[in-house]
Amino acid sequence: MRKLIVPAIVLAAVSVAAPSFAQSYHRPPAVQHAGYGSWQSINARQANLDRRIDQGVRNGQLSRREATRLRGEFSSILRLEANYRRGGLTAWERADLDRRFDRLSAQVRSERNDRDNRRG
């Protein structure tokens, strides 16, 4: 009887600790979708884009003019999101915001890597 109790206790302890192994402390929460990679919440995408623009200015990859233009695009998406949220965010509106964030993210990536504002 004692031989059955020890494995049961070990199994119970591992099943309680296992969910903590899967937690990520280095990235914002993301949801996995079949065939589409990961999806970040709108707030996480906003924070990530804002951070990338600031980082590009700090390390010299973005000029002030480029950053101002990108922040203007960012602000227009935020205003659009606020308008969408007034009546509740529909699936189409969420997809539209995702497309706009994808496009802005690509612009940030392009501007940071175009090497036209390198220091030195």
Side-chain angles (χ1 to χ4, degrees):
M1 183 74 147
R2 184 179 174 123
K3 291 181 182 177
L4 295 175
I5 293 175
V6 172
I9 292 172
V10 171
L11 181 61
V14 169
S15 67
V16 169
S20 66
F21 296 141
Q23 292 179 356
S24 172
Y25 295 100
H26 304 290
R27 294 184 178 167
V31 177
Q32 294 292 326
H33 290 287
Y36 297 105
S38 64
W39 174 84
Q40 290 182 331
S41 71
I42 290 173
N43 292 337
R45 292 193 78 178
Q46 290 171 351
N48 186 32
L49 276 169
D50 192 40
R51 179 189 55 78
R52 288 173 55 208
I53 293 170
D54 287 343
Q55 191 176 44
V57 171
R58 277 195 312 273
N59 67 19
Q61 291 176 327
L62 291 174
S63 69
R64 290 191 189 275
R65 177 177 283 171
E66 291 169 333
T68 299
R69 186 182 54 75
L70 292 168
R71 284 192 178 117
E73 292 283 328
F74 183 71
S75 294
S76 70
I77 295 172
L78 295 181
R79 284 191 301 275
L80 180 63
E81 179 198 1
N83 287 336
Y84 282 168
R85 286 190 184 270
R86 284 190 189 133
L89 204 58
T90 66
W92 184 91
E93 290 167 339
R94 180 178 299 278
D96 183 46
L97 290 171
D98 279 336
R99 280 189 300 273
R100 291 170 189 265
F101 280 125
D102 287 343
R103 192 174 21 229
L104 180 58
S105 180
Q107 288 174 352
V108 170
R109 185 180 319 106
S110 174
E111 292 292 345
R112 286 184 67 180
N113 293 317
D114 65 5
R115 304 176 73 79
D116 67 351
N117 193 46
R118 299 289 176 158
R119 292 183 182 151

